[in-house]
Amino acid sequence: MSIQRTFSIIKPDATARNITGKVNAKIEESGLRIVAQKRLLLTEEQASGFYAVHKDRPFYTDLVKFMMSGPVIVQVLEGENAIVAYRKVMGATNPAEADSGTIRAEFAQSIDANTVHGSDAPETASEEIKFFFAENEIVG
């Protein structure tokens, strides 16, 4: 097993309901460590830049607006096979399809307001972490 890092966002639907502690508890119960964390209100430049990979998709504009609609918690998580481990604890994008006990099954309101984002590959994780964190902000 390899120790790796992944990126997480606790989205505005979760911060609005004041459940970030519950989400963090799920993350930590899964064996992952939160090694960096910030609460931010994303600017249009940050939200559109972060989700630029989706700019040609029909949901892009709504996604950017949603991510700017309230505070988010950006995080770096660390642990054994962190990317796969976090995706497992997040659950399926559509909460109706998420396994029982996952973050999305328990907390997501819809496929759009699905509580969390997580990196899908090592390269993505590296880029997403660098987008929001300087190396000296990550304390593992």
Side-chain angles (χ1 to χ4, degrees):
M1 297 277 179
S2 67
I3 300 297
Q4 68 180 182
R5 290 180 174 163
T6 193
F7 179 75
S8 167
I9 300 177
I10 301 176
K11 295 180 178 182
D13 60 294
T15 62
R17 291 178 289 142
N18 202 31
I19 60 169
T20 58
K22 292 178 180 180
V23 173
N24 281 341
K26 284 274 192 199
I27 291 168
E28 292 178 333
E29 288 166 8
S30 78
L32 295 168
R33 292 180 34 192
I34 301 167
V35 295
Q37 181 170 259
K38 296 181 199 181
R39 184 179 181 97
L40 304 171
L41 188 56
L42 297 180
T43 65
E44 185 170 359
E45 181 181 356
Q46 287 172 313
S48 60
F50 185 79
Y51 287 106
V53 67
H54 299 302
K55 68 181 175 200
D56 295 327
R57 312 239 354 227
F59 60 82
Y60 173 74
T61 300
D62 289 338
L63 175 61
V64 169
K65 285 179 186 174
F66 170 66
M67 293 304 290
M68 294 170 37
S69 69
V72 299
I73 309 295
V74 294
Q75 303 173 308
V76 180
L77 310 178
E78 185 176 80
E80 288 187 19
N81 295 313
I83 295 165
V84 170
Y86 187 48
R87 294 191 71 75
K88 182 176 179 182
V89 77
M90 282 193 312
T93 302
N94 182 346
E97 298 171 2
D99 290 340
S100 178
T102 63
I103 292 168
R104 289 176 173 151
E106 290 194 22
F107 304 120
Q109 296 174 310
S110 69
I111 196 167
D112 298 317
N114 64 9
T115 305
V116 288
H117 162 89
S119 302
D120 60 1
E123 302 77 24
T124 310
S126 177
E127 290 303 313
E128 291 179 342
I129 290 168
K130 288 177 192 172
F131 192 91
F132 287 105
F133 292 95
E135 190 59 39
N136 68 348
E137 295 178 301
I138 304 169
V139 182

